[in-house]
Amino acid sequence: MPMRRLPSYFIAQMLPWFGLSIGGLTLAFLTTQLVRVLPIFAGADMDLCEAMRALMLLLAPIVGWALTPAFAISIFFTTARMASDGEIVAMHAAGLGWGRLAVGPVILAAAFSFASGVCWLHLGPRSHAALQSLALDLVVRASAHQLKPGHFISPMGSVAFFANSRSADGQYKGIFLEDRRHKDYPFFLLAESGTIDADTLGQGLVVNLGPGMGFYWGETGGKRPPVALSFETLESRLSFGTDLQDRLNFLPKILAVPTGDLFTALADGSAPHRWRFEFWRRVAGPVGFLAMALVSIYLALGLGIRRSGIAVTSAVLLFFVYHLSGRQCESLHLSGQLSAPVAALAPAVVIGIVFVLSLSLRKI
């Protein structure tokens, strides 16, 4: 095989395994997330287009995360297959050291490192922002659709609803509504009829009632006296705000902040403390990928793993060590023992140092 064709040959051998690996990892992560979030969106009448859009929005951050283990699996699997078929031995017999064989994988690692940077720094935050907006709409709609006559329903922890019946045109009859969003000013509404619909823009419910009565029981000590009122028609918007965010805690707001805004906020000191770590965590994504990719290439080609089972196990263990060390460094940062850049970049830096030391102790 001509030398100029060797890198492209190695890349061609890796790409199928890489595609299978990233597809499997993405599917596994999507499945775990869907199990968590589907009960939250139950009753939102989500159509196929919305479901597909939500899945597509999840792909960018998931792919950014999955690139690292997928590359490790692909290089280990490829070299194990080539070694078992005798190709690696033949190449060594032709005078090709593992450093020459690594040219193709290193080129592929550099390309995927760039893709990782795009995912971590740009596509991930944009996807999270769009996904949060869609999730809020779905949660609000699910809250409105779960209202059933004859049952006390709490669409959010601060609001309770009851109706005797519901007509074919969507009118509720015999309505009781309790609103405790403001703890120092809870009130109750009784109405003969009304409608309650989702208010996706206001992130809550739109209530149209009438005729009826409202009650506020007052405060202990007489600071605010009891109040009773009657109305022919009443329109109110119940914004759930904090309650919605509590339900969507699997999508932290900080993940949707554009990377450039994190950097700008740091410059003027207005960002929360955690924003600093988030900025460096995103920077560490592509850096960590490149470090892990180089170490995987060295272990796969330099040590000559020949069995696919051992290869995949090595790739998975390598990723979990990297992932768990990242979690540990984050905990040390939150406890004040490590600065944000050190905590975010430490796992990648340590792996890079090990890689350089290994090269210095082995003749390429």
Side-chain angles (χ1 to χ4, degrees):
M1 180 186 300
M3 272 298 301
R4 64 178 180 275
R5 293 181 54 191
L6 181 59
S8 59
Y9 174 77
F10 221 116
I11 291 173
Q13 296 300 306
M14 286 183 62
L15 286 178
W17 294 115
F18 179 82
L20 288 173
S21 300
I22 202 165
L25 290 165
T26 300
L27 180 61
F29 190 77
L30 276 176
T31 302
T32 60
Q33 292 303 300
L34 288 176
V35 169
R36 294 175 57 195
V37 305
L38 282 180
I40 299 174
F41 300 147
D45 291 341
M46 182 169 53
D47 58 34
L48 181 60
C49 290
E50 287 177 323
M52 292 302 297
R53 180 168 176 252
L55 290 176
M56 292 300 294
L57 290 173
L58 278 171
L59 284 181
I62 289 177
V63 168
W65 169 84
L67 281 172
T68 302
F71 185 89
I73 290 173
S74 67
I75 183 63
F76 279 122
F77 229 122
T78 298
T79 53
R81 199 278 305 164
M82 293 175 68
S84 65
D85 290 348
E87 293 184 46
I88 299 294
V89 173
M91 291 177 183
H92 286 326
L96 301 177
W98 78 267
R100 303 288 290 274
L101 301 180
V103 173
V106 169
I107 292 173
L108 194 61
F112 283 139
S113 179
F114 176 79
S116 176
V118 172
C119 289
W120 280 97
L121 300 174
H122 180 63
L123 292 181
R126 289 192 63 180
S127 296
H128 272 293
L131 187 60
Q132 282 185 340
S133 178
L134 176 61
L136 285 172
D137 289 350
L138 292 173
V139 170
V140 169
R141 280 159 45 188
S143 299
H145 293 166
Q146 69 177 295
L147 302 179
K148 297 179 180 179
H151 298 273
F152 275 96
I153 302 293
S154 180
M156 290 290 168
S158 54
V159 175
F161 169 85
F162 178 86
N164 288 322
S165 62
R166 185 180 185 183
S167 61
D169 62 357
Q171 286 272 336
Y172 291 100
K173 306 294 183 181
I175 296 173
F176 166 81
L177 184 66
E178 177 189 22
D179 184 356
R180 293 183 175 273
R181 288 174 300 154
H182 306 290
K183 294 183 180 180
D184 59 340
Y185 203 86
F187 66 87
F188 308 85
L189 296 173
L190 298 173
E192 293 181 11
S193 63
T195 60
I196 300 180
D197 300 301
D199 177 20
T200 55
L201 292 179
Q203 298 178 7
L205 299 177
V206 179
V207 180
N208 288 282
L209 305 176
M213 300 183 66
F215 303 93
Y216 164 64
W217 299 116
E219 294 181 352
T220 304
K223 293 182 180 179
R224 289 185 179 178
V227 175
L229 57 88
S230 61
F231 53 86
E232 287 298 319
T233 61
L234 173 67
E235 179 178 333
S236 178
R237 295 180 181 270
L238 307 179
S239 178
F240 294 141
T242 303
D243 289 332
L244 281 176
Q245 292 302 325
D246 290 342
R247 288 198 178 189
L248 298 176
N249 58 6
F250 64 93
L251 291 174
K253 278 187 173 182
I254 195 170
L255 297 180
V257 178
T259 302
D261 290 354
L262 289 174
F263 183 77
T264 302
L266 291 174
D268 61 18
S270 62
H273 177 67
R274 187 158 179 84
W275 285 29
R276 184 178 296 275
F277 179 78
E278 175 63 19
F279 172 76
W280 286 106
R281 187 183 73 86
R282 295 182 191 180
V283 172
V287 175
F289 168 83
L290 188 58
M292 283 286 294
L294 293 176
V295 170
S296 298
I297 293 169
Y298 170 74
L299 292 177
L301 291 172
L303 300 184
I305 296 176
R306 296 175 179 271
R307 295 184 179 180
S308 58
I310 297 176
V312 175
T313 302
S314 302
V316 172
L317 288 176
L318 185 63
F319 172 72
F320 272 109
V321 168
Y322 173 74
H323 180 71
L324 292 176
S325 62
R327 289 291 188 182
Q328 181 62 33
C329 288
E330 181 178 0
S331 298
L332 293 174
H333 166 67
L334 295 177
S335 63
Q337 299 180 57
L338 291 178
S339 65
V342 171
L345 294 170
V349 171
V350 170
I351 287 178
I353 292 173
V354 171
F355 174 66
V356 172
L357 290 176
S358 300
L359 290 180
S360 66
L361 296 175
R362 181 187 179 101
K363 184 178 180 180
I364 299 178

